[in-house]
Amino acid sequence: MTTTSGPAYQVVNPATGDVVETFETASDADIESAVSAATQAYASWKDVPITERGEVVKKVAALFARRADELAAIANEEMGKPVGEGVEEAEFCQAIFDYFANEGPTLAADQPIKTFSGGRAVVQKLPIGPLLGIMPWNFPFYQIARFAAPNLMLGNTIILKHAESVPRSALAVEQIMKDAGVPEGAYVNVFASHEQIETLIADPRVQGVSLTGSERAGAVVASLAGKNLKKCVLELGGSDPFVVLDSADIADVAGKAWDFRMYNAGQACNSNKRMIVMEDVYDDFVSELTSRALSIEPGSFAPLSSRAAAENLAEQVRDAVSKGATLHAGGVLSDGPDAHYSPAVLSGVTKEMRAYAEELFGPVAVVYKVGSDEEALGLANDTQYGLGGAVFSSDPARAEKIAQQLEVGMANVNTAAGEGVEIPFGGVKRSGFGRELGPLGMDEFVNKRMFFIAD
C-alpha cells in the first residue's frame, strides 16, 4: 500500500505552469527496502579504507562536471533556475566532492590528546551508520553534495528524500552515484511521504537526519529527531543583513548587493534580504537598485519555483505597501499559471509589516535607512534568524567592528558572502544548527570516539 500524504512528486514547469511528469510516492515496502539496503551497505562501506572511498567520491565529482549541461536543463524545467546558474551549481558540486575526496583523510585522521596520567589517547572520527537527508528544491544538486560528500567519505550511507518538486534532479543524482561506483545501498533515493519521513527518523537503523528547508519543517524534524534520540543538522531560513556604512563608490556596492539578492531569483537562504544603509548614501543606493530593476526587460527574468511561491511573495509585498512601504520598481505578479514575479525594490518597511519579520524568498531588495553604526547593528540583529550577514565600509576596521557583533553563523566584511568548498556554512537562532562544508562538514555525523592505550 502506498502512503501519499503531502504533495505529489511532480515536475511542474514554473515558466509555464504545465505539469510535465508525475512520479509515484514510495510504498512502505520501498521505504523498508531502502533502509535495509543502506544498513547492509554500511556494514561493508565503513570498512573500506578512506582513501579508497575517496577514489569513488572523485568519480562522483567528475560525473557532476561531465553532466553539468544535462543537470542544468533538468533544474531549469523543474524549478526555473537559469541554465547558466545550473551549470555553475553542478560545477560547484564537482568542487565539493573533490574537496572531501582530497582532504577527507586528513580531516578524519585521529587527533592526539595530551594526557597527564601516562598512556596514549586519541580521538577517532568514525562513521555512525545510515543517515537520512531531507533536501530542498532551490539548489537541487548543491544541497545534496554538501551533505553526501563528507558522509560518504566518512563511511556513512545515505537515504535521500528530495523536495517533491524536483524528482528528476533527485533521480539524476542517484544515477551519478550508481555510475561512479558508489556501492548499492550506500546512496538510495526515496520519494517518501510525510508519514514515511517520520517512520524513517524513528527507525533504529537510521542514525541521524539532516534537513535543509523551512523553519516550520525544521521544527518538525528536530522534534522527531529528539523524540527518537537522533542527531540532527538543520539548515533553515535566513534574513541576512547587508550593512553599508559608507562607500567611495556606492553604485558599485549597490550593484554587488543587487546581483547577490537576485541570484537564483532571490531564492537562497543566505541571500541579503535586508539591506541596511547609512542615511548619507541611502538615496544613491536606492536609486541605483531602482535603476537596475527598471532596466530589466519584461520576460527576461527567471520565474520563481512555483506559482504558490510567487503568490506568497506578492502578498508579503502587498501587505507592506498597504501599510506604508514604498515599492520603487517591479513587484508585478504575472497573471498565471506561470510563476513570474518581476524583481522589486522595497523601502520603508516597519515592524507592523509581514516583510519586517518574515523571510522574503524571492527577488525583492528591501532597503532600510539608518543614522549610526549602533542603529545599523541593532537593526541587523533584530531578527529571529541568524544565518549570515555582511558589513561594507571603506574603513575595514569600522566594518569589522560591526561584523564581529553580528548574531549569525557566517559574518563577512566587504563581501556579500565568504563562499567556497572550504568555508563552513550554517547559522544560529532560528536559522538552525550544525555546519556543512569545510573542515566542520565532516564533524557532524561522526562518532568522536576516545581511544586510550595505557602504558
Side-chain angles (χ1 to χ4, degrees):
M1 178 179 177
T2 298
T3 306
T4 57
S5 174
Y9 284 84
Q10 193 172 69
V11 179
V12 180
N13 188 334
T16 64
D18 295 336
V19 177
V20 179
E21 188 174 8
T22 301
F23 295 80
E24 286 192 11
T25 304
S27 67
D28 292 341
D30 293 333
I31 298 299
E32 169 57 32
S33 177
V35 178
S36 178
T39 304
Q40 291 177 3
Y42 173 66
S44 55
W45 182 241
K46 67 181 176 63
D47 292 329
V48 174
I50 192 169
T51 53
E52 293 183 24
R53 292 197 296 262
E55 291 304 311
V56 176
V57 171
K58 284 189 76 68
K59 291 177 182 177
V60 173
L63 286 176
F64 267 101
R66 194 174 305 156
R67 299 178 185 176
D69 291 338
E70 173 190 334
L71 296 173
I74 292 171
N76 176 259
E77 184 170 44
E78 286 192 313
M79 50 74 62
K81 187 185 296 288
V83 170
E85 293 184 13
V87 170
E88 289 176 358
E89 182 178 345
E91 291 173 344
F92 195 28
C93 292
Q94 175 197 12
I96 291 169
F97 280 97
D98 271 337
Y99 170 81
F100 284 108
N102 295 328
E103 301 296 325
T106 300
L107 297 175
D110 291 352
Q111 295 179 337
I113 300 174
K114 183 178 180 180
T115 61
F116 301 96
S117 55
R120 180 168 62 89
V122 299
V123 173
Q124 300 171 317
K125 293 187 177 181
L126 306 177
I128 59 174
L131 306 173
L132 172 63
I134 305 172
M135 298 293 114
W137 49 261
N138 59 331
F139 291 93
F141 311 118
Y142 157 73
Q143 302 285 5
I144 294 177
R146 67 185 196 180
F147 167 61
N151 284 302
L152 287 174
M153 280 299 296
L154 281 165
N156 294 320
T157 55
I158 305 295
I159 302 166
L160 200 290
K161 186 272 174 203
H162 218 322
E164 290 88 350
S165 61
V166 290
R168 286 181 175 173
S169 295
L171 293 174
V173 173
E174 185 181 45
Q175 191 62 51
I176 283 176
M177 298 293 179
K178 289 179 180 178
D179 294 345
V182 174
E184 183 177 354
Y187 183 96
V188 186
N189 180 77
V190 291
F191 290 152
S193 69
H194 292 172
E195 287 86 358
Q196 289 168 338
I197 292 172
E198 185 171 355
T199 299
L200 284 164
I201 295 173
D203 193 304
R205 293 168 292 181
V206 175
Q207 298 301 308
V209 55
S210 178
L211 174 134
T212 298
S214 69
E215 179 188 356
R216 181 170 59 86
V220 172
V221 166
S223 176
L224 292 169
K227 177 182 176 181
N228 292 284
L229 299 178
K230 303 290 176 70
K231 170 68 182 286
C232 70
V233 167
L234 302 178
E235 302 285 1
L236 309 178
S239 190
D240 291 12
F242 184 103
V243 180
V244 181
L245 302 177
D246 64 76
S247 176
D249 188 348
I250 199 63
D252 178 67
V253 175
K256 291 175 180 175
W258 178 259
D259 290 344
F260 192 60
R261 184 68 187 100
M262 295 301 134
Y263 193 78
N264 204 38
Q267 300 167 123
C269 296
N270 66 328
S271 182
N272 50 336
K273 301 188 179 83
R274 294 179 300 135
M275 302 177 193
I276 300 168
V277 183
M278 204 61 68
E279 57 189 358
D280 57 340
V281 293
Y282 172 86
D283 289 342
D284 289 341
F285 188 92
V286 172
S287 177
E288 181 65 26
L289 295 185
T290 302
S291 176
R292 287 172 178 262
L294 291 173
S295 70
I296 296 173
E297 295 291 333
S300 66
F301 51 89
L304 272 72
S305 63
S306 68
R307 180 67 188 182
E311 290 177 351
N312 181 65
L313 182 66
E315 183 52 42
Q316 289 172 306
V317 174
R318 274 197 298 268
D319 171 78
V321 172
S322 72
K323 295 174 182 175
T326 300
L327 183 62
H328 298 265
V332 177
L333 177 67
S334 69
D335 293 335
D338 62 282
H340 288 92
Y341 185 82
S342 60
V345 180
L346 186 69
S347 70
V349 171
T350 61
K351 290 186 177 183
E352 296 74 28
M353 305 168 188
R354 291 177 58 192
Y356 187 88
E358 295 180 10
E359 179 179 25
L360 299 187
F361 212 61
V364 180
V366 180
V367 193
Y368 295 85
K369 181 194 295 185
V370 292
S372 68
D373 291 16
E374 293 72 24
E375 185 183 0
L377 177 63
L379 180 56
N381 286 335
D382 187 21
T383 174
Q384 62 185 333
Y385 297 109
L387 193 54
V391 184
F392 284 75
S393 173
S394 55
D395 178 356
R398 181 186 179 193
E400 184 176 344
K401 181 179 179 181
I402 300 300
Q404 288 280 14
Q405 300 176 78
L406 293 178
E407 297 168 355
V408 298
M410 303 174 288
N412 304 276
V413 173
N414 287 335
T415 184
E419 293 182 311
V421 296
E422 77 284 10
I423 304 296
F425 188 103
V428 295
K429 299 198 283 190
R430 297 187 74 85
S431 289
F433 43 79
R435 295 293 182 269
E436 294 181 314
L437 296 179
L440 303 185
M442 288 189 74
D443 232 21
E444 295 290 350
F445 296 104
V446 60
N447 174 11
K448 299 170 187 174
R449 185 173 74 179
M450 188 285 298
F451 196 78
F452 186 87
I453 301 173
D455 286 337

